[in-house]
Amino acid sequence: MSHVLAAVAWPYANGPRHIGHVSGFGVPSDVFSRYMRMAGHDVLMVSGTDEHGTPIQVQADKEGVSPRELADRYNRVIVEDLHGLGLSYDLFTRTTTGNHYAVVQELFETLHRNGYIVPKVTMGAISPSTGRTLPDRYIEGTCPICGYEHARGDQCDNCGNQLDPIDLVNPRSKINGETPQFVETEHFFLDLPAFAQALGKWLDSREGWRPNVLRFSKNLLDDLQPRAITRDLEWGVPIPLEGWRDRGDKRIYVWFDAVIGYLSASIEWARRSGDPEAWRRWWSADGEGKDARGYYFMGKDNIVFHSVIWPALLLGYDGEGDRAGEPGRLGLLNLPTEVVSSEFLTMEGKKFSSSRQVVIYVRDFLARYDADALRYYIAVAGPESQDTDFTWAEFLRRNNDELVAGWGNLVNRSISMAAKNFGAIPPIDPAGLTEADEALLATARAGFTTVGQLIERHRQKQAIGEAMRVVGEANKYLSEQAPWKLKAESDKPRMGTILHVALQVVSDANTLLTPFLPHSAQRVHELLGGTGVHAPMPSIVQVEDLDGGPAYPVLAGDYTVGAKWESVPVEAGRALATPKPVFRKLDPSIVDEELARLGD
Ligand SMILES: [Zn+2]
């Protein structure tokens, strides 16, 4: 057994999440975590909503609410969506907690003390008519990179590049249209070049990464520049330095605080578990966590934050950049083992866009279809290693032809036939097993090795393909053995053997599919006469802020229960439940209905 951290990208709390988001990081990280737990590892799966930064402030201004109110609203929406998908977070929290603020400030202070955070005089915008600082979000202009005319002072929403207000062509105040004046102002910068060497050494020692992620990350090292980590903004974590702490107009930049969430959420989980030091088992590089592994899941637009910036913060905290230094009070911390990045999901040939309504929100999807139908689609046809297009026609086909006609049919016909003819799981005939029986059982057992190894190496598409191959073999076996023809009393022992073998393989295939399809796996377990929890589910729990802030909802769960990653012999004589379909067959008319809902 080992300690495995599943660090899942933090969704930004400025709106509901669409299925592109959960295809990239949500479902794959859950499949991985569920499998690793079943295989006996001690998994800590953490994330939360990312709630600071200009976009939330801008949206809140537009709606006339406070940024906290806006964040509260979408934090709840996102928590409910992830819960609906059955994502087994040990803790899904948020960045507006007292705990998160304290951990962010601890990292900031230590990096500053070690000399990796340096003040720099930059050109900041002020309003010429009032003489006051003009926050980034109130400055608009043309993006110097892509030419988009409504880029914001801190970021271009068209090309996604981070900007400084002074970079904008034709900058103007969004308040009154005047041209801002640029004056000298002080901000803090992370000295990224001081980590180039340590990062290069670390990246060279990585094994098993997707080659494009590793190549992309190494290329980033060629051009590391100091990066601003504070902004002219009122919404965010205060700067924990003398003379800065109480300034209302400057805050830590949202990307700096958000990546620290992996650590702060682990600490929050430990504080809530009753053992406040328990997080060290996944993080302490020189102590209990020294053999722990950490896997980070995200979309490809976030690679830089996980393969360069977060490791740089950790190296600086550990005192291992060019300027050395002393580790902070949390001790030496582990760097990521692997950065697992996915590609993008497009929608009927178009890029997801909420403004053009080319979007399917998770909650709308779950209102009309089952969570496992989406989870299945993401696993077999998601953007694991290349950009992938979601189409309703393909969703319908995968659901009806594979999930319903393949797996659902195998479950249904083997359990129905056994229930009808034996009322329970039939015994194996003393005459023994045939070669065909043995071959099918061996195929199913071998699945535990192949499927498990593929999930561990983040090849989930191949992994579910192998699990479904076992299902296909079992369906073929039933057709060939045709137990329904063995109606004579003298044939009944052989019929029982065939059904016993089929039910054993249903049980094994169900275990192999559990990380992918946890909701239906629980139902199949019960149809086979099983009791208790087979696939544990997260719950939404309203908790108090540990440091005196307002209460908030989190996702949490007890995942120590449930099936293990092994073949469990089915017991002859165990009563079977009354069979009912595990999956819903969809009417082909849904394709046109859904296309009509899409804009454009
Ligand atoms: Zn741009």
Side-chain angles (χ1 to χ4, degrees), residues 9 47 55 138 151 170 245 278 280 297 346 455 485-486 493 495 504 507:
S47 185
Y138 291 127
N170 293 325
R245 198 181 296 270
R280 294 189 181 278
F297 295 84
T346 54
I455 296 177
K485 288 185 185 158
L486 303 174
M495 183 200 225
Q504 179 64 56
S507 170

Side-chain angles (χ1 to χ4, degrees), residues 80-408:
E80 287 170 1
D81 288 350
L82 303 182
H83 176 256
L85 283 167
L87 305 186
S88 59
Y89 291 97
D90 290 280
L91 182 68
F92 184 90
T93 177
R94 57 196 302 186
T95 56
T96 44
T97 66
N99 176 74
H100 179 71
Y101 275 44
V103 176
V104 169
Q105 293 182 331
E106 161 64 14
L107 263 79
F108 191 107
E109 281 180 281
T110 304
L111 283 154
H112 182 261
R113 197 164 57 238
N114 285 344
Y116 298 107
I117 288 179
V118 288
K120 208 169 139 181
V121 174
T122 63
M123 300 306 278
I126 58 165
S127 158
S129 55
T130 65
R132 286 171 42 199
T133 300
L134 200 52
D136 298 337
R137 69 180 181 284
Y138 291 127
I139 306 168
E140 197 178 69
T142 302
C143 172
I145 297 161
C146 74
Y148 178 61
E149 287 179 10
H150 301 283
R152 260 191 345 252
D154 65 332
Q155 181 177 311
C156 171
D157 284 337
N158 189 52
C159 66
N161 280 292
Q162 294 195 342
L163 303 171
D164 274 312
I166 201 165
D167 299 335
L168 295 172
V169 181
N170 293 325
R172 56 200 175 268
S173 159
K174 284 175 81 169
I175 298 167
N176 57 14
E178 65 186 357
T179 305
Q181 195 182 337
F182 287 95
V183 297
E184 291 193 337
T185 179
E186 205 171 56
H187 271 292
F188 288 96
F189 282 68
L190 177 67
D191 186 9
L192 281 171
F195 299 107
Q197 216 181 343
L199 284 170
K201 212 172 120 194
W202 170 70
L203 282 171
D204 283 339
S205 70
R206 298 300 89 199
E207 281 167 15
W209 285 31
R210 290 177 184 155
N212 59 328
V213 180
L214 195 57
R215 207 175 320 118
F216 178 80
S217 306
K218 285 183 175 173
N219 285 341
L220 291 169
L221 301 188
D222 296 339
D223 187 32
L224 287 182
Q225 304 292 332
R227 193 161 177 147
I229 57 170
T230 55
R231 298 309 284 182
D232 291 315
L233 181 67
E234 309 86 351
W235 175 237
V237 181
I239 301 164
L241 300 176
E242 200 55 39
W244 292 86
R245 198 181 296 270
D246 300 322
R247 286 190 65 161
D249 60 338
K250 295 202 190 267
R251 288 287 181 273
I252 293 177
Y253 210 158
V254 59
W255 63 258
F256 182 92
D257 97 68
V259 289
I260 297 171
Y262 301 117
L263 175 61
S264 69
S266 302
I267 293 173
E268 183 184 340
W269 169 83
R271 292 177 67 191
R272 294 191 182 284
S273 78
D275 175 3
E277 299 299 317
W279 62 275
R280 294 189 181 278
R281 301 203 287 267
W282 289 270
W283 285 95
S284 285
D286 56 350
E288 299 165 77
K290 79 176 169 359
D291 297 321
R293 289 178 280 164
Y295 297 88
Y296 289 69
F297 295 84
M298 78 225 57
K300 64 178 166 187
D301 50 337
N302 270 322
I303 294 175
V304 61
F305 293 105
H306 298 87
S307 67
V308 173
I309 289 177
W310 177 228
L313 297 185
L314 291 164
L315 286 164
Y317 189 82
D318 289 351
E320 290 172 0
D322 287 355
R323 302 205 173 95
E326 290 296 316
R329 64 174 172 80
L330 299 172
L332 281 180
L333 301 174
N334 284 325
L335 270 63
T337 305
E338 187 173 345
V339 169
V340 187
S341 145
S342 66
E343 306 291 307
F344 291 148
L345 189 72
T346 54
M347 173 74 218
E348 298 284 351
K350 297 164 195 144
K351 196 163 182 264
F352 273 94
S353 158
S354 19
S355 54
R356 283 177 291 128
Q357 285 194 316
V358 185
V359 71
I360 311 166
Y361 291 114
V362 171
R363 60 182 36 214
D364 295 339
F365 196 104
L366 294 181
R368 300 196 281 276
Y369 309 101
D370 294 330
D372 279 6
L374 178 56
R375 293 179 62 117
Y376 180 75
Y377 183 94
I378 291 170
V380 292
E384 181 176 272
S385 54
Q386 58 187 31
D387 289 352
T388 304
D389 196 34
F390 177 93
T391 68
W392 285 105
E394 178 75 351
F395 172 69
L396 177 82
R397 188 185 73 74
R398 296 281 190 182
N399 183 78
N400 285 0
D401 295 0
E402 298 176 7
L403 212 45
V404 177
W407 175 222

